[in-house]
Amino acid sequence: MKYWLFKSEPFKWSWEQQKAKGDEGEEWDGIRNYQARNNMREMKLGDRAFFYHSREGLEVVGVAEICALSHPDSKADDERWDCVDIKALCDMPTAVSLGDIKANEKLEEMSLVKNTRLSVQPVLENEWMEICRMGGLNGQTLKKL
DNA sequence: GCCAACGTTGGC
DNA sequence: GCCAACGTTGGC
């Protein structure tokens, strides 16, 4: 199982909207960046992802699961662009802010800190576990959900 | 709302 | 293949 992080501007697509979709999930359309697309192409069913609110909020608000492998983006007018579908898995009991992440030296290598403009990015397992801990989740228990 | 950082495009 | 111009993202 691999770990990822998806950014979304909450006034465009929020965690609340994602949760409202339930197990049906939602296509992560609109990505027009090769690095982000390539990350999505590497995702497997059941991989986990943090859902991060950018521009407003600036915090990890929930955990999602990949529920459809990479496929053409239905909203793209160009066949270059693929995307996965994700579904909400659980809330972060306590949202983990960018400030908290920046202040934690275990997380200083994250793309969230070093490459702020990458909207779909991989998360290392130790980083995943640390953010779960900060947010009040047990990362090991989460694996079995 | 501003602007720095970064990515892409296209003329040469 | 370089690089100027342009577009977008996202923190502040």
Side-chain angles (χ1 to χ4, degrees), chain A residues 79-91:
Chain A
E79 62 189 14
R80 283 180 295 177
W81 305 115
D82 296 343
C83 64
V84 297
D85 292 9
I86 71 170
K87 66 178 186 183
L89 195 65
C90 64
D91 286 325

Side-chain angles (χ1 to χ4, degrees), chain A residues 27-32 71-76 78 81-83:
Chain A
E27 186 184 33
W28 201 260
D29 57 67
I31 298 298
R32 301 290 179 269
H71 56 81
D73 181 335
S74 68
K75 301 230 172 65
D78 184 322
W81 305 115
D82 296 343
C83 64

Side-chain angles (χ1 to χ4, degrees), chain A residues 55-72:
Chain A
R55 298 295 301 277
E56 283 180 10
L58 311 189
E59 55 193 9
V60 176
V61 288
V63 176
E65 182 179 338
I66 310 306
C67 64
L69 292 173
S70 182
H71 56 81

